[in-house]
Short mmCIF file of all heavy atoms in Angstrom, two decimals:
data_model
loop_
_atom_site.label_atom_id
_atom_site.label_comp_id
_atom_site.label_asym_id
_atom_site.label_seq_id
_atom_site.Cartn_x
_atom_site.Cartn_y
_atom_site.Cartn_z
N PRO A 25 -1.60 22.51 -26.44
CA PRO A 25 -2.23 21.23 -26.79
C PRO A 25 -3.18 21.50 -28.04
O PRO A 25 -3.67 22.56 -28.31
CB PRO A 25 -3.10 20.95 -25.64
CG PRO A 25 -2.77 21.89 -24.56
CD PRO A 25 -1.99 23.01 -25.16
N SER A 26 -3.41 20.44 -28.71
CA SER A 26 -4.21 20.49 -29.91
C SER A 26 -5.71 20.85 -29.45
O SER A 26 -6.06 20.59 -28.34
CB SER A 26 -4.27 19.21 -30.65
OG SER A 26 -4.71 18.16 -29.85
N GLY A 27 -6.40 21.40 -30.32
CA GLY A 27 -7.69 21.86 -30.00
C GLY A 27 -7.97 23.24 -30.41
O GLY A 27 -7.51 23.74 -31.47
N ARG A 28 -8.72 24.09 -29.63
CA ARG A 28 -8.90 25.43 -29.98
C ARG A 28 -7.68 26.29 -30.03
O ARG A 28 -6.85 26.09 -29.24
CB ARG A 28 -9.97 26.01 -28.97
CG ARG A 28 -11.27 25.38 -28.99
CD ARG A 28 -12.11 26.22 -27.98
NE ARG A 28 -13.25 25.43 -27.67
CZ ARG A 28 -14.27 25.81 -26.86
NH1 ARG A 28 -14.16 27.02 -26.34
NH2 ARG A 28 -15.33 25.12 -26.69
N THR A 29 -7.71 27.27 -30.86
CA THR A 29 -6.69 28.29 -30.79
C THR A 29 -7.01 29.16 -29.68
O THR A 29 -8.12 29.64 -29.42
CB THR A 29 -6.63 29.13 -32.12
OG1 THR A 29 -6.62 28.15 -33.19
CG2 THR A 29 -5.66 30.14 -32.21
N TYR A 30 -5.94 29.58 -28.92
CA TYR A 30 -6.03 30.54 -27.77
C TYR A 30 -6.52 31.83 -28.31
O TYR A 30 -5.75 32.44 -29.17
CB TYR A 30 -4.75 30.61 -26.96
CG TYR A 30 -4.93 31.47 -25.76
CD1 TYR A 30 -5.79 30.96 -24.74
CD2 TYR A 30 -4.33 32.72 -25.55
CE1 TYR A 30 -5.98 31.69 -23.54
CE2 TYR A 30 -4.53 33.37 -24.43
CZ TYR A 30 -5.28 32.90 -23.45
OH TYR A 30 -5.44 33.64 -22.26
N PRO A 31 -7.62 32.46 -27.88
CA PRO A 31 -8.13 33.70 -28.39
C PRO A 31 -7.46 34.95 -27.71
O PRO A 31 -7.79 36.05 -28.10
CB PRO A 31 -9.61 33.72 -28.02
CG PRO A 31 -9.60 32.95 -26.74
CD PRO A 31 -8.54 31.92 -26.88
N GLY A 32 -6.55 34.69 -26.89
CA GLY A 32 -5.84 35.86 -26.15
C GLY A 32 -6.50 36.01 -24.76
O GLY A 32 -7.54 35.44 -24.53
N ASP A 33 -5.77 36.81 -23.98
CA ASP A 33 -6.24 36.96 -22.61
C ASP A 33 -7.45 37.88 -22.60
O ASP A 33 -7.71 38.61 -23.54
CB ASP A 33 -5.20 37.69 -21.81
CG ASP A 33 -3.93 36.80 -21.57
OD1 ASP A 33 -3.94 35.64 -21.88
OD2 ASP A 33 -2.92 37.35 -21.06
N PHE A 34 -8.30 37.78 -21.65
CA PHE A 34 -9.44 38.61 -21.40
C PHE A 34 -9.07 39.95 -20.96
O PHE A 34 -8.18 40.06 -20.04
CB PHE A 34 -10.35 37.98 -20.38
CG PHE A 34 -11.62 38.81 -20.16
CD1 PHE A 34 -12.77 38.62 -20.92
CD2 PHE A 34 -11.73 39.79 -19.17
CE1 PHE A 34 -13.94 39.35 -20.79
CE2 PHE A 34 -12.84 40.49 -18.95
CZ PHE A 34 -13.89 40.31 -19.70
N HIS A 35 -9.58 41.05 -21.52
CA HIS A 35 -9.21 42.42 -21.13
C HIS A 35 -10.49 43.18 -20.70
O HIS A 35 -11.56 42.88 -21.15
CB HIS A 35 -8.61 43.23 -22.29
CG HIS A 35 -7.20 42.65 -22.64
ND1 HIS A 35 -6.13 42.73 -21.92
CD2 HIS A 35 -6.89 41.81 -23.75
CE1 HIS A 35 -5.12 42.12 -22.50
NE2 HIS A 35 -5.62 41.50 -23.58
N GLY A 36 -10.44 43.92 -19.62
CA GLY A 36 -11.62 44.55 -19.03
C GLY A 36 -11.95 44.01 -17.71
O GLY A 36 -11.08 43.25 -17.17
N THR A 37 -13.00 44.34 -17.20
CA THR A 37 -13.43 43.87 -15.88
C THR A 37 -14.53 42.88 -16.08
O THR A 37 -15.63 43.17 -16.53
CB THR A 37 -13.97 45.07 -14.96
OG1 THR A 37 -13.01 46.03 -14.86
CG2 THR A 37 -14.32 44.48 -13.63
N PRO A 38 -14.28 41.61 -15.70
CA PRO A 38 -15.24 40.48 -15.94
C PRO A 38 -16.34 40.44 -14.92
O PRO A 38 -16.15 41.05 -13.82
CB PRO A 38 -14.40 39.24 -15.80
CG PRO A 38 -13.31 39.60 -14.84
CD PRO A 38 -13.05 41.08 -15.17
N THR A 39 -17.43 39.88 -15.16
CA THR A 39 -18.45 39.61 -14.18
C THR A 39 -17.88 38.47 -13.39
O THR A 39 -17.66 37.43 -13.84
CB THR A 39 -19.83 39.25 -14.79
OG1 THR A 39 -20.21 40.28 -15.74
CG2 THR A 39 -20.85 38.92 -13.78
N ILE A 40 -17.74 38.73 -12.03
CA ILE A 40 -17.22 37.67 -11.12
C ILE A 40 -18.24 37.41 -10.03
O ILE A 40 -18.76 38.33 -9.45
CB ILE A 40 -15.88 38.25 -10.41
CG1 ILE A 40 -14.86 38.75 -11.43
CG2 ILE A 40 -15.45 37.16 -9.52
CD1 ILE A 40 -13.70 39.37 -10.81
#
Side-chain angles (χ1 to χ4, degrees):
S26 60
R28 295 187 197 181
T29 302
Y30 186 66
D33 294 352
F34 179 88
H35 296 283
T37 305
T39 301
I40 304 172

